Structure formats: structure tokens, C-alpha cells
Amino acid sequence: MRATLLHAAQDVRVEDVTDPKIQQPTDAIVRIVLSCVCGSDLWPYKSLEATHDPRHMGHEFLGVVEETGSEVRTLKRGDVVVAPFVWADNTCAYCREGLQTSCPHGGQWGVNGVDGGQGQAARVPLADGTLVKLPVGEGSELLPDVLTLSDVLSTGYHAAHTAGVRRGDTVTVIGDGAVGLSAVISAKLLGAEQIILMGRHTARTDLGRVFGATDVVAERGEEGVAKVRDLTGGEGTRKVLECVGLKDAIVQSFGVVRAGGTISRVGAPQFTDMPFGFADFMRNITLTGGVAPARAYIEELMPHVLDGSIRPGRVFDRTVALEDIADGYRAMNDREALKVLVRP
């Protein structure tokens, strides 16, 4: 089959790899119908040193079950399924707590002999626990919306959920990428009254307004903090959803959060020293967030996608064929595209 491999920074290739086969009785083979490029894919795209063991790329996909192992009980050939961005048994103590990302029996796509999601097919370990069967066919117009459940919408929802967003809240979302826009959707879904989106790319913040942002702040740094405080009577917002992962974004988060408020960070962190000093300690700021256990949210969010009340698939503003995925990476890296949909 054909699959996406990263050989070095900015060296993305689609190459022939071994077809997936059932290796364990709990495996399933999925023919991939849709996948996409994630913002987190851009970090190795920018920095990976040349290697003779190229990285299998992609962790967001949906498709059709082609084959199942002898112990798979909940899936059959022909089922349309979505895969969360990590695989897990969904039965261990961590999974039962909604922490499938900490499953001791699970793992990540594209490593340790497991296929990546940017290819024509994938072997799915622990298929019963990992895959979620969809009540739509492989030709449904809703598939791009459903695909966001694999990662980006679930990550935005994780930000809002862990922050404790509730009806009537004031919320600031930092970052106008696909995760930030998904956080806007999620904050509105949970009843936030005021949602301030901090971003400076007009096409993206315009979509943020469609998704539910009540205000947009394009300024950054001290100027941006001052603007948010002007919009909130000088206080800042009770909840801040940090969806970037850079140090400047977390510094900005502390600047715009209200005393006694909560910051939830879901942007993949690109720094190690947390600027949480004595002044912020004295304001009783809560810091939470982390990697999103998408599997815990898929069934909760899916009805809102299926009934059309939210349309998160609008974050996909470019579609490429698998063979052209290198151009999709380039477009996202150069800010020519928000999020790229891939059709194998």
C-alpha cells in the first residue's frame, strides 16, 4: 500500500510500504477513507533530522473495516469507523476513568510497527476498544465533520471541559488554529456567554465568529492583554483555553485570566519552563489541561455532529490526494491552509 513517510525536516514522501495484516486476534484492518494533517505533525516536519528509519505519519483517520481478528467482537467487515489519535483497550482502570491516553496497553500510531493514519490502510490494535462505529455510510457528507472527533474537536473540547466551562462563563481562547476554533465550538456548546478569540488571521477569526466567538482580539502581548481586560470590565475571563503550545501563549494566558480563574492548556508544549510565578500564585489561578483522551469524548460529541448543530469540518479548507500530501504539509506550514483533508 501507499503511505506517508517523513525522512527529514520538510522531506515528506508517499511510498510503498508493507500491506497491513492481522498480527493479533484483537486487531482489525481498516481501509482509510479520510485522514488529515495535524498541527502537531508540523513540529517534526520542521525539525526532524535526516534518518534511515523514516517516520510513519498521521494519527487522525476514519475508514471501513476490511478484516477482523478472531477475538474482535463489536466490529465486522463493512463497518464505517473513526479512530481516536491513540489506540487503547478502553477497559483498563485508566480508560474507565476517561484517560485512554494513559492506557498501559495502548500506544501511538506510526511507531513500534503500527501503521500511521496517512495512508491507504492501517492495522488497528485493540480494535474493540479503539474504533468507534459510525451510523453513517462511507459516502456521507458528514464524514469531514466526523473526522474532527479523531483529534481536533476532541482536543478543543478537552480544553473547555477541563477548564470547567459552564453556562454564563466568560472564556478566552488563545490561538486561531484548528484546535483553537474547535475550542470556540466547545465553549459555546457548554454554554459560555462571552468567548474572546485571540488570533490575527482574519479568515480564521471570521470562522471563529461563525463558530460562536463574541469578540476577536488580534493584538498580542501586553496590548492584547489590555484589550481583553477592556472587554471584561478590567477583570479578564474566568476560563482561558490555551491552544498554541508556545511560551508566549501561556504568558498571555496568565495575563488575561481573572483572579480565581482557570487556564487549560492543550497546545502541544514546545517549552519546559513554566512561567507560573508568585504573583500568579497569589491570584489563585488554576492550571490544568493536557493531552486530550479523544476516545472519552467521541460518543458524547457525535450526536451534535450528526444532527448538524455543530459543523467542525469547516476547519478543513484544503483537500489533497494522498499522493499530493507533501503539498498539504507545505501549505499548512506556510499558513496557506488552516487544516488539510487527505483523501487516499
Side-chain angles (χ1 to χ4, degrees), residues 241-290:
L241 314 182
E242 190 276 291
C243 303
V244 180
L246 297 177
K247 188 173 181 178
D248 286 348
I250 199 71
V251 169
Q252 193 160 265
S253 299
F254 281 109
V256 301
V257 71
R258 178 186 184 274
T262 300
I263 299 169
S264 179
R265 55 188 299 232
V266 297
Q270 304 303 304
F271 59 97
T272 56
D273 53 328
M274 172 58 65
F276 194 162
F278 191 76
D280 296 315
F281 172 79
M282 290 297 292
R283 292 198 295 145
N284 282 290
I285 305 304
T286 297
L287 183 63
T288 186

Side-chain angles (χ1 to χ4, degrees), residues 11 15 27 42 55 74 88 100 130 134 165 177-178 186 207 212-213 331:
D11 184 6
E15 299 179 340
D27 288 348
L42 298 182
R55 182 168 175 172
T74 63
Q100 288 87 345
T130 300
L134 303 176
V165 174
S186 302
L207 182 57

Side-chain angles (χ1 to χ4, degrees), residues 16-278:
D16 290 329
V17 300
T18 303
D19 289 344
K21 293 180 173 57
I22 298 293
Q23 298 180 19
Q24 300 293 330
T26 52
D27 288 348
I29 305 301
V30 172
R31 172 174 53 85
I32 296 174
V33 173
L34 283 182
S35 63
C36 57
V37 180
C38 181
S40 65
D41 292 330
L42 298 182
W43 298 115
Y45 177 76
K46 294 175 181 178
S47 62
L48 184 70
E49 295 184 3
T51 175
H52 295 294
D53 184 21
R55 182 168 175 172
H56 290 241
M57 298 299 291
H59 54 259
E60 304 161 272
F61 65 94
L62 58 77
V64 179
V65 174
E66 293 291 317
E67 185 181 357
T68 59
S70 61
E71 294 182 12
V72 175
R73 297 288 180 259
T74 63
L75 302 165
K76 65 181 185 305
R77 179 180 172 87
D79 285 345
V80 182
V81 292
V82 63
F85 68 87
V86 298
W87 49 273
D89 62 24
N90 211 33
T91 59
C92 74
Y94 287 107
C95 288
R96 292 196 302 272
E97 293 173 16
L99 287 173
Q100 288 87 345
T101 43
S102 295
C103 178
H105 309 118
Q108 299 180 8
W109 303 106
V111 296
N112 299 322
V114 178
D115 299 299
Q118 294 167 1
Q120 292 179 316
R123 178 178 70 89
V124 178
L126 302 176
D128 280 326
T130 300
L131 297 172
V132 179
K133 184 177 176 180
L134 303 176
V136 294
E138 66 174 290
S140 171
E141 295 180 355
L142 291 174
L143 289 190
D145 295 297
V146 174
L147 179 59
T148 65
L149 296 170
S150 178
D151 184 345
V152 65
L153 178 60
S154 294
T155 297
Y157 188 78
H158 185 59
H161 175 77
T162 57
V165 174
R166 58 188 179 186
R167 189 160 304 281
D169 262 342
T170 57
V171 177
T172 297
V173 175
I174 296 181
D176 59 9
V179 171
L181 296 177
S182 296
V184 170
I185 292 174
S186 302
K188 183 179 180 183
L189 195 62
L190 292 173
E193 181 176 310
Q194 182 181 28
I195 304 172
I196 302 169
L197 174 60
M198 300 194 78
R200 59 181 182 178
H201 303 90
T202 303
R204 299 180 181 193
T205 55
D206 285 350
L207 182 57
R209 289 186 185 276
V210 173
F211 285 161
T214 57
D215 305 277
V216 169
V217 172
E219 295 82 359
R220 292 185 176 182
E222 293 182 3
E223 189 178 1
V225 170
K227 186 70 175 291
V228 171
R229 291 192 172 273
D230 284 344
L231 289 167
T232 56
E235 288 192 340
T237 57
R238 291 181 178 274
K239 310 292 166 61
V240 178
L241 314 182
E242 190 276 291
C243 303
V244 180
L246 297 177
K247 188 173 181 178
D248 286 348
I250 199 71
V251 169
Q252 193 160 265
S253 299
F254 281 109
V256 301
V257 71
R258 178 186 184 274
T262 300
I263 299 169
S264 179
R265 55 188 299 232
V266 297
Q270 304 303 304
F271 59 97
T272 56
D273 53 328
M274 172 58 65
F276 194 162
F278 191 76

Side-chain angles (χ1 to χ4, degrees), residues 302-317:
M302 192 182 301
H304 300 287
V305 172
L306 296 178
D307 69 12
S309 57
I310 59 174
R311 297 301 305 268
R314 295 184 66 175
V315 299
F316 296 113
D317 58 349

